[in-house]
Amino acid sequence: MPKTIKLSQLGEACYRQRILFMEKFGDEVKVSVALAQGVAKDFDWDWAADHLLSAPAWTEYETVRELGWADYEKVRDPAGADYEKVRDPALADYEKVRDLAWAEYKKVRDPALADYEKVRDLALAEYKKACDQALADYKKVRAPAWTEYKKVCDPAWTEYKKVCAVAFAKAYLAQ
């Protein structure tokens, strides 16, 4: 009799694993060895074993898993050593080239940066001078304009406030 795993059984699984399950299987899937092999790299099988297997089945899973891990380490360790043998000299060459390139970059950049800062400082001084003059001109024009504005608007504002006060009093008394 085939067994199924239902999406509802994955309630504690991480969001990405539940979404992946839905994308691949929908709401449920019939478990088979072939199916498990076909999606072996996609799912967190330790989580599945811990949450979906009975205690005896989990013990069997753990025994097989440990043997698989030992086989993996037998391959991983020499492969890692080979990788480091190739990587270390390549990394040393890269760092040598990178350091030379960085020194060359700084040799060109530093004088260019000094020239830029001189030009920038002159331009900034001119900018400030122009802005200061424009602000002084603005203040000269603004003061009389503000006085005229207040002269025209103040009586209207006073009248508006009276209208509001009367409207409030009438509405309040009418409630």
Side-chain angles (χ1 to χ4, degrees):
M1 175 169 157
K3 290 194 165 195
T4 61
I5 297 175
K6 296 181 186 229
L7 179 62
S8 61
Q9 291 175 267
L10 307 182
E12 295 177 19
C14 75
Y15 177 76
R16 293 175 58 90
Q17 289 283 288
R18 286 183 282 130
I19 293 297
L20 182 62
F21 184 94
M22 283 190 327
E23 288 172 353
K24 288 195 176 282
F25 311 122
D27 289 332
E28 66 179 47
V29 64
K30 289 182 183 169
V31 177
S32 72
V33 172
L35 174 85
Q37 287 175 331
V39 295
K41 65 180 172 58
D42 298 325
F43 291 98
D44 181 349
W45 297 103
D46 285 336
W47 182 93
D50 197 36
H51 290 82
L52 303 176
L53 295 179
S54 65
W58 191 88
T59 302
E60 183 181 330
Y61 166 81
E62 186 177 35
T63 302
V64 173
R65 183 188 66 164
E66 291 300 321
L67 291 172
W69 184 257
D71 288 344
Y72 167 71
E73 285 180 324
K74 285 178 194 172
V75 172
R76 183 198 63 191
D77 294 344
D82 289 346
Y83 165 74
E84 288 177 11
K85 279 182 201 170
V86 172
R87 184 206 58 196
D88 291 348
L91 182 59
D93 288 346
Y94 161 75
E95 288 173 344
K96 194 185 318 177
V97 169
R98 181 201 60 201
D99 292 346
L100 290 170
W102 182 251
E104 191 62 32
Y105 164 76
K106 284 181 65 177
K107 199 185 323 178
V108 171
R109 182 204 61 190
D110 291 348
L113 186 58
D115 290 345
Y116 160 76
E117 287 172 349
K118 283 183 210 168
V119 171
R120 183 201 61 202
D121 291 346
L122 290 171
L124 187 57
E126 286 299 315
Y127 168 79
K128 281 188 58 111
K129 194 160 79 173
C131 286
D132 290 347
Q133 182 59 51
L135 182 60
D137 294 347
Y138 163 74
K139 287 179 178 180
K140 283 181 198 171
V141 172
R142 187 196 66 182
W146 181 251
T147 301
E148 187 61 29
Y149 168 82
K150 297 242 334 131
K151 189 165 56 172
V152 171
C153 290
D154 281 353
W157 181 252
T158 301
E159 189 58 34
Y160 166 75
K161 297 292 274 175
K162 285 180 189 174
V163 167
C164 289
V166 168
F168 169 78
K170 286 180 178 179
Y172 185 76
L173 293 170
Q175 65 177 347

